[in-house]
Amino acid sequence: MSIPSFVSDRLRLTRGETSCQRLVSFYLDRQRGADDSLNAFVSVDESRAIDRARSVDVSVASGEVLPLAGMVLAVKDVICTKDGPVTCGSRILEGFKSLYEATAVRRLEKAGAVVIGKTNCDEFAMGSSNENSFFGPVRNPVDPSRVPGGSSGGSAAALRAGMCNASLGTDTGGSIRQPAAFCGVTGLKPTYGRVSRYGLVAYASSFDCIGPFGGTVADVAATLQVMAGLDPHDSTSAPVEPADYGAALDRGVSGMRIGIPQEFMGEGLDPEIRAALEKTAEQLETEGADVKDVSLPHTEYGIATYYILTTAEASSNLARYDGVRYGYRAEALEGDGSRLERLYTESRTQGFGTEVKRRIMLGTYVLSSGYYDAYYGKAQRVRSLIRRDFDEAFESVDVILTPATPSTAFEIGSKTHDPLEMYLNDIYTVTANLAGIPGLVVPAAVHSDGLPIGLQLLGRHFDEASLIATGRVLESVRSGVTSHQE
């Protein structure tokens, strides 16, 4: 299955072989033909997309330079698009339309991108499989009996199935990188603060990041170049000038120091994923990199720390959904307590799904009197230790190479009975969010089960350029790693 590439489509557009309108029409046709079976989109605005494409063609014809002209973009439905629906995969936001545009989307559209629709996701981005959406599960285009990964599974699936040539997701604990690995596309979680969070519906505010999916590393580099940078609307946006990510594509890895953390290579890792990583490390050495072992000693505490802190933040962020101000409202039935209290209770009971309720209750518990220091306070201290692990590792290496997931995509329904088993799918991704560092997942091989294997690159704060340089080399050596035919 061929994966679309924005850079390739843009080259055709600049040669006069196609137009933005024809590209948008092509991908809309693909979306209509494939989405019934995959459930990747929750809304599509064809007329707006065609009108926008015509406008881009007029601008290009007049000589205006639009670096993303030809980008046909799908956006995860936790990111606001003005006057369009924002559901977060939840009944609680039924009928809600955004009053404003997310900064990331506004910057991409200003550069020529055309948004065709909003993609399905785990409810409020809480999930590792994209089975928690009010609109039903998303299916993996490589094997529809498998999950696409969560929570940004709709964005990854839409790209892999050829319904767009780029997409946006969000990453709180791996929600871009895991779907990228499961679907066999490239996905980038930027440094926390690199891309504005303005217009992103919050799950866990100190973790959430907006990032791109692409068919190639060049695609995500081009998308990040436009999105990145300080935004006065977002107090967590960092005043750090973005690098030239296009130039990084040609840097190579000669002289680069690449570390492999042994804590990521232990029990539970699929042997074929381990073999793909080891083969990739050999290829990187052939390309001139110095590959060495590094230690991240507090990795084992990552899952527990992550799920304490993110659920605590979620319990606060989701308190705003009360059935009064916007979204779904239940009838205020008679019963014990006031009608207002019943309205809150029934609206949240009917509006939120099981996983969201579970995390709200867990977060409320760890913040409660008598448990705050034992859980939340301790988790914050461990978070500092995990960040220090990375700081120390990056004193001796430039990039860290790890598995992205412990296995390939699992079957739909196979882990829903056991939340803890589901949470363990995030074991290789959550520590990057705890530390706030960037992570890039690149397809590296094909498993004997026919499913993609993705590998993860982690870098220093605001050093996405080194990940892009290394990821580009991984693409070039992939033929030497893949032992099974796609």
Side-chain angles (χ1 to χ4, degrees):
M1 184 186 299
S2 176
I3 306 171
S5 165
F6 155 67
V7 170
S8 296
D9 282 343
R10 177 166 174 75
L11 183 60
R12 293 172 53 223
L13 187 146
T14 56
R15 289 173 174 169
E17 299 170 2
T18 188
S19 67
C20 187
Q21 186 177 342
R22 287 200 292 271
L23 286 170
V24 168
S25 296
F26 170 79
Y27 286 113
L28 285 171
D29 287 344
R30 293 289 297 267
Q31 184 275 328
R32 283 191 295 268
D35 201 36
D36 284 348
S37 60
L38 299 179
N39 198 30
F41 281 85
V42 295
S43 64
V44 175
D45 192 338
E46 293 193 17
S47 61
R48 181 186 183 279
I50 293 295
D51 288 345
R52 171 68 182 152
R54 291 194 187 107
S55 176
V56 170
D57 283 333
V58 170
S59 296
V60 171
S62 69
E64 186 175 351
V65 177
L66 296 175
L68 299 186
M71 176 172 283
V72 183
L73 187 69
V75 176
K76 183 180 180 179
D77 203 23
V78 296
I79 303 171
C80 291
T81 52
K82 190 175 187 301
D83 299 326
V86 182
T87 70
C88 298
S90 179
R91 188 184 188 189
I92 201 77
L93 281 171
E94 186 175 77
F96 177 73
K97 291 191 175 182
S98 176
L99 302 176
Y100 61 95
E101 195 101 289
T103 295
V105 174
R106 178 175 55 79
R107 288 178 175 176
L108 294 173
E109 289 199 315
K110 185 178 179 181
V114 176
V115 176
I116 62 168
K118 306 297 284 296
T119 54
N120 201 352
C121 58
D122 283 303
E123 186 178 9
F124 284 98
M126 298 183 192
S128 303
S129 63
N130 222 143
E131 295 173 279
N132 295 330
S133 173
F134 175 67
F135 302 99
V138 177
R139 296 182 177 274
N140 192 320
V142 182
D143 179 350
S145 71
R146 308 278 178 151
V147 302
S151 62
S152 308
S155 292
L159 177 63
R160 180 63 201 245
M163 299 185 235
C164 57
N165 60 18
S167 59
L168 291 187
T170 64
D171 195 309
T172 305
S175 290
I176 289 173
R177 290 163 290 154
Q178 190 218 45
F182 280 0
C183 291
V185 298
T186 301
L188 173 68
K189 170 217 169 305
T191 305
Y192 184 84
R194 172 61 89 192
V195 174
S196 172
R197 292 171 46 249
Y198 180 76
L200 167 60
V201 180
Y203 158 22
S205 302
S206 72
F207 291 78
D208 299 336
C209 299
I210 296 175
F213 291 97
T216 66
V217 174
D219 293 342
V220 299
T223 310
L224 180 65
Q225 194 73 64
V226 171
M227 290 195 299
L230 182 66
D231 177 18
H233 291 108
D234 176 13
S235 62
T236 65
S237 174
V240 180
E241 193 68 22
D244 184 342
Y245 301 121
L249 292 166
D250 299 321
R251 265 175 36 185
V253 294
S254 180
M256 187 175 288
R257 301 167 302 168
I258 297 176
I260 299 178
Q262 294 309 298
E263 292 84 358
F264 284 54
M265 303 295 286
E267 185 179 354
L269 178 61
D270 182 289
E272 289 190 42
I273 296 178
R274 180 198 298 271
L277 187 146
E278 291 171 347
K279 182 66 174 177
T280 297
E282 293 174 8
Q283 295 282 351
L284 289 171
E285 286 185 314
T286 301
E287 295 292 322
D290 177 19
V291 179
K292 61 179 72 175
D293 291 342
V294 294
S295 180
L296 300 169
H298 293 94
T299 296
E300 64 180 301
Y301 306 112
I303 290 289
T305 303
Y306 171 82
Y307 278 99
I308 287 172
L309 296 178
T310 56
T311 57
E313 293 186 21
S315 73
S316 174
N317 280 325
L318 272 64
R320 70 194 68 180
Y321 304 105
D322 54 15
V324 175
R325 286 166 284 191
Y326 44 75
Y328 177 77
R329 178 184 295 182
E331 293 185 21
L333 303 174
E334 299 291 348
D336 294 336
S338 69
R339 286 177 62 84
L340 182 60
E341 182 181 7
R342 291 285 294 175
L343 173 62
Y344 289 161
T345 301
E346 292 301 322
S347 295
R348 289 169 173 164
T349 298
Q350 298 170 26
F352 288 134
T354 301
E355 183 61 29
V356 170
K357 292 174 187 173
R358 179 184 292 119
R359 298 196 192 195
I360 290 172
M361 290 188 289
L362 177 59
T364 303
Y365 175 79
V366 302
L367 290 174
S368 62
S369 177
Y371 298 99
Y372 182 94
D373 288 336
Y375 292 101
Y376 184 79
K378 184 178 289 186
Q380 287 285 28
R381 292 191 290 274
V382 176
R383 184 180 192 177
S384 296
L385 294 175
I386 289 171
R387 175 165 178 159
R388 190 173 69 185
D389 284 351
F390 281 106
D391 289 343
E392 292 177 354
F394 285 125
E395 291 177 3
S396 61
V397 298
D398 304 302
V399 170
I400 293 173
L401 172 66
T402 82
T405 58
S407 68
T408 54
F410 47 89
E411 291 185 351
I412 291 174
S414 64
K415 297 183 186 291
T416 52
H417 65 286
D418 187 346
L420 292 179
E421 185 180 357
M422 184 74 78
Y423 296 166
L424 287 172
N425 284 286
D426 303 331
I427 192 167
Y428 301 132
T429 52
V430 295
T431 51
N433 299 81
L434 287 161
I437 62 174
L440 175 70
V441 165
V442 179
V446 177
H447 197 278
S448 60
D449 61 13
L451 297 170
I453 293 173
L455 296 180
Q456 176 177 233
L457 299 167
L458 301 174
R460 297 185 183 93
H461 291 96
F462 302 104
D463 190 16
E464 289 84 2
S466 289
L467 301 186
I468 288 166
T470 310
R472 182 60 173 261
V473 172
L474 291 191
E475 286 181 333
S476 70
V477 303
R478 184 182 177 191
S479 60
V481 177
T482 304
S483 58
H484 300 90
Q485 295 298 314
E486 292 188 71

